Amino acid sequence: MTLTFQKSNNTKNKDNINLNGNIELEILGMKCEHCVQELNQLFKEFDRIKSYNVSLKENKTYLTVENLDSCKLLNAISKIGFKGKLIKPIK
């Protein structure tokens, strides 16, 4: 499965993208296993995240998602003290 981008019809945020497939995020601010646990807990709360793997060593998260609002995801990551950056789709 590959990542697809689809501009949202959400007029509030023109940069919003609907994410589908396997994605890779760089996570800035992770320092320890507690950080990993916080992100794991966050991802459990999203029903559109089908699987996830947080790597402290790489400062990355690998997600499989279905029709996930990119702004909601990145804002949720920001609210718990990290910065998420979409890197690329995983093929």
Side-chain angles (χ1 to χ4, degrees), residues 22-84:
N22 298 321
I23 61 171
E24 179 180 343
L25 294 173
E26 180 179 13
I27 304 292
L28 303 174
M30 277 198 303
K31 305 284 187 215
C32 63
E33 281 301 318
H34 179 72
C35 297
V36 172
Q37 291 172 6
E38 284 187 51
L39 286 162
N40 284 333
Q41 185 60 40
L42 174 70
F43 297 144
K44 286 179 187 176
E45 296 173 12
F46 279 85
D47 62 343
R48 297 190 183 270
I49 296 176
K50 302 305 176 188
S51 66
Y52 53 89
N53 181 16
V54 180
S55 173
L56 177 61
K57 182 178 179 181
E58 299 177 50
N59 287 322
K60 292 182 182 175
T61 296
Y62 303 91
L63 305 168
T64 301
V65 300
E66 288 182 6
N67 196 29
L68 179 63
D69 181 314
S70 63
C71 287
K72 285 183 182 177
L73 175 63
L74 295 175
N75 286 338
I77 291 170
S78 178
K79 283 182 182 179
I80 63 169
F82 305 105
K83 180 171 179 162

Side-chain angles (χ1 to χ4, degrees), residues 4-19:
T4 58
F5 295 96
Q6 179 181 8
K7 282 288 188 182
S8 172
N9 293 330
N10 182 350
T11 56
K12 291 181 182 177
N13 190 339
K14 296 184 191 280
D15 294 328
N16 186 43
I17 298 171
N18 287 327
L19 302 171

